Amino acid sequence: MVKVVNFLKFLSIVLFLGILLMVYAYLPVQVSLETAPGGYQLHKETFFYYTITGFIVINIVLLAFQKLNEKRLSGDPLKAWMRGLGFVVNIYLTLIIGFIGVINNTTHLDPASFAYLNYLGPFLLVAWFVGLFYLVFSKR
């Protein structure tokens, strides 16, 4: 189970990098981070480097959290849950980057029809923590 979760985490990293590079290729020079006109904007390269840096920092923090707490966890399912948290967070970050790409490509895509991407990430996180409660409180 842990090996499968590690593979999924690797795939989520590859997916994030692929989506980021695709979005970066289609971004205008000034990237808007809000749907409202005149909102907060960054230069395309600044956005790219901030995103990569944030992704690396978040994954390092999650890896440190995993290493600190994995020794205390008993059982393969709880260890898989802990490692899978990185997978879920990476998918959430991928959805955010995809939505930023949609916001900045309004000539071909309507951002309102992709608003579900903003709600899918928190839903995944809540479902993941519900899974933790299930693992902890279920009979073995």
Side-chain angles (χ1 to χ4, degrees):
M1 180 79 127
V2 174
K3 290 182 181 182
V4 172
V5 172
N6 286 338
F7 179 70
L8 287 175
K9 185 176 177 182
F10 172 75
L11 284 180
S12 71
I13 292 170
V14 171
L15 179 69
F16 175 83
L17 292 174
I19 296 293
L20 178 63
L21 290 175
M22 185 182 73
V23 166
Y24 178 75
Y26 289 107
L27 285 176
V29 175
Q30 290 296 324
V31 179
S32 176
L33 300 178
E34 298 176 18
T35 55
Y40 189 72
Q41 293 185 346
L42 286 174
H43 191 272
K44 182 178 182 177
E45 292 177 7
T46 306
F47 169 75
F48 179 78
Y49 290 121
Y50 281 174
T51 303
I52 287 290
T53 304
F55 182 76
I56 290 171
V57 167
I58 288 171
N59 276 285
I60 288 173
V61 167
L62 286 173
L63 186 63
F65 180 71
Q66 169 192 328
K67 294 294 181 187
L68 289 173
N69 292 319
E70 203 169 62
K71 294 174 185 170
R72 291 184 231 163
L73 297 176
S74 62
D76 196 38
L78 286 174
K79 289 180 182 180
W81 182 91
M82 180 65 72
R83 291 185 183 199
L85 183 62
F87 165 75
V88 172
V89 170
N90 288 344
I91 294 297
Y92 184 26
L93 295 173
T94 304
L95 293 171
I96 291 171
I97 296 301
F99 188 69
I100 289 173
V102 169
I103 289 172
N104 289 286
N105 193 0
T106 56
T107 56
H108 297 102
L109 301 170
D110 180 26
S113 56
F114 289 92
Y116 68 91
L117 293 176
N118 290 327
Y119 303 111
L120 194 57
F123 176 76
L124 286 173
L125 284 172
V126 168
W128 200 253
F129 281 102
V130 167
L132 173 65
F133 288 117
Y134 175 76
L135 287 174
V136 169
F137 295 116
S138 68
K139 294 181 181 179
R140 294 186 180 178

